[in-house]
Amino acid sequence: MSGPLVVLVGPMGVGKSTVGQLLAEHLGVPYRDTDDDIVTAQGRTIADIFVEEGEPAFRAIEKAAVEAALDTHEGVLALGGGSILDADTRALLAGRQVVYLSMDVEEAVRRTGLNTARPLLAVNPRKQWRELMEARRALYESVATAVVATDGRTPEEVTRVALDSLELKDV
């Protein structure tokens, strides 16, 4: 199967971009983030897309960006936190090396402060983060080849565990 060597999924703020860049560096392959693809193609932030067009419009844009990246990118690919909500996207991830980076709510608060710059966390961020994770955890797990907890670990430690879990350490 062509496409990414590794795909990273997980909630917002878990470190997909940081770990993705470290994985790509270690493996000697390019790194790509579908959120960056969307911002570049749309010429505006994801938060602006949510505000101006709503979540359904954003999810359609996201679905197209993920499909294009899965077709064309051959390095490490990080997906937006909600991309796994789409059944077609989950189907496209089948048979691929997918790492679910997980964290608990306390770690999310420490890392992001659960600030309101995140459009889905604008009101009562801690409660909304928990609800998002309750709705998404099983979906992340369903597409994952490996699950790597990021709580209390440095990005380098998470990268090492991801490499070990995928048996890519000697690539």
Side-chain angles (χ1 to χ4, degrees), residues 4-87:
L5 184 59
V6 179
V7 179
L8 298 176
V9 298
M12 58 190 93
V14 76
K16 294 181 299 283
S17 297
T18 302
V19 171
Q21 290 169 356
L22 288 170
L23 278 169
E25 225 173 85
H26 181 83
L27 296 169
V29 297
Y31 167 76
R32 184 169 172 181
D33 184 320
T34 57
D35 282 351
D36 293 342
D37 292 352
I38 293 166
V39 169
T40 299
Q42 295 290 311
R44 56 194 167 146
T45 67
I46 289 171
D48 286 345
I49 298 169
F50 264 83
V51 169
E52 295 165 11
E53 297 185 43
E55 185 175 1
F58 171 75
R59 294 296 174 207
I61 293 166
E62 179 179 56
K63 179 179 179 176
V66 169
E67 186 173 341
L70 288 171
D71 282 345
T72 62
H73 184 69
E74 295 189 353
V76 175
L77 179 65
L79 303 186
S83 61
I84 49 78
L85 294 171
D86 183 79

Side-chain angles (χ1 to χ4, degrees), residues 28-171:
V29 297
Y31 167 76
R32 184 169 172 181
D33 184 320
T34 57
D35 282 351
D36 293 342
D37 292 352
I38 293 166
V39 169
T40 299
Q42 295 290 311
R44 56 194 167 146
T45 67
I46 289 171
D48 286 345
I49 298 169
F50 264 83
V51 169
E52 295 165 11
E53 297 185 43
E55 185 175 1
F58 171 75
R59 294 296 174 207
I61 293 166
E62 179 179 56
K63 179 179 179 176
V66 169
E67 186 173 341
L70 288 171
D71 282 345
T72 62
H73 184 69
E74 295 189 353
V76 175
L77 179 65
L79 303 186
S83 61
I84 49 78
L85 294 171
D86 183 79
D88 293 335
T89 296
R90 291 193 308 275
L92 289 173
L93 293 172
R96 299 182 188 272
Q97 295 272 48
V98 179
V99 177
Y100 163 33
L101 299 179
S102 69
M103 69 179 168
D104 64 22
V105 70
E106 288 74 25
E107 186 79 359
V109 169
R110 187 182 70 74
R111 290 186 188 183
T112 67
L114 294 182
N115 62 46
T116 55
R118 308 278 186 172
L120 292 178
L121 301 178
V123 178
N124 194 349
R126 187 182 294 258
K127 179 178 181 250
Q128 287 182 306
W129 192 90
R130 278 193 183 105
E131 288 172 359
L132 281 175
M133 284 308 300
E134 285 173 20
R136 296 178 181 181
R137 185 173 290 111
L139 298 176
Y140 290 133
E141 291 171 350
S142 75
V143 300
T145 308
V147 178
V148 177
T150 64
D151 304 273
R153 290 180 166 155
T154 67
E156 294 76 15
E157 289 168 332
V158 172
T159 300
R160 173 57 47 208
V161 173
L163 288 166
D164 288 348
S165 66
L166 295 173
E167 298 179 354
L168 292 171
K169 53 189 168 276
D170 297 326
V171 174

